[in-house]
C-alpha cells in the first residue's frame, strides 16, 4: 500500500504548482505582447508572413498575410488560395518562379508580383523567401 504524503509534502507541492502557474501566466503574457507587436509592425509596414511545411503542405499565415490577400481569418490558408489571389497577369510567372527555386539549391530569393483582392484592390508585393533544406538539399519548409 502506498504511503500517504505528509502535510509538509502537500504544502510544498501546492507551492510548486503556484509557481508553475505564475510562470505560465508570464509566458502567456509575453506571448500576447509579442503577438501584438508583430501585428502592429505588420499593420504599419503593410506586410505579412507565412510558412509552409513542404512535406505536409500545411500553411500558417499571420494576420498581416490575411490582410494583404484581403481575406478573413476564418479562411484556411493554402498555396492554392494564395495563387488564386495573385493577379491573373502574374500568376503563371509567380508559380513558375517559386517552383524553380524550390527545385534549385537556393535558400533565399526575392520576387515582385501583384495580389488582387476580391474587391478589386491591387497590391504590389515584394516577397522575400527562405527555404529550409535537409542535409541532402531537399526542401523541408518555405517562408
Amino acid at each position: 500500500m502506498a504511503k500517504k504524503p505528509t502535510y509538509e509534502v502537500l504544502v510544498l507541492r501546492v507551492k510548486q504548482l503556484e509557481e508553475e502557474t505564475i510562470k505560465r501566466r508570464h509566458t502567456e503574457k509575453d506571448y500576447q505582447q509579442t503577438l501584438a507587436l508583430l501585428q502592429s509592425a505588420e499593420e504599419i509596414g503593410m506586410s505579412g508572413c507565412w510558412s509552409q511545411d513542404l512535406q505536409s503542405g500545411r500553411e500558417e499565415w499571420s494576420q498581416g498575410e490575411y490582410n494583404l490577400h484581403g481575406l478573413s481569418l476564418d479562411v484556411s490558408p493554402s498555396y492554392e488560395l494564395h495563387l488564386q489571389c495573385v493577379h491573373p497577369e502574374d500568376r503563371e510567372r509567380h508559380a513558375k518562379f517559386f517552383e524553380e527555386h524550390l527545385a534549385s539549391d537556393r535558400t533565399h530569393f526575392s520576387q515582385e508580383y501583384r495580389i488582387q483582392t476580391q474587391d478589386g484592390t491591387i497590391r504590389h508585393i515584394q516577397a522575400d523567401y527562405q527555404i529550409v533544406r535537409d542535409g541532402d538539399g531537399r526542401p523541408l519548409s518555405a517562408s
Side-chain angles (χ1 to χ4, degrees), residues 12 37 41 71 77 111 132 137 140 142:
L12 179 62
L37 284 172
L71 299 170
Q111 180 187 35
V132 174
L140 299 174

Side-chain angles (χ1 to χ4, degrees), residues 1 12 25-26 36 41 43 54 59 64 67 72-73 76 103 126 136:
M1 184 170 198
L12 179 62
R25 285 185 189 144
H26 285 292
E43 185 176 329
L54 295 169
E59 283 201 29
N67 293 344
S72 64
L73 295 173
S76 295
Q126 169 61 51
D136 295 323

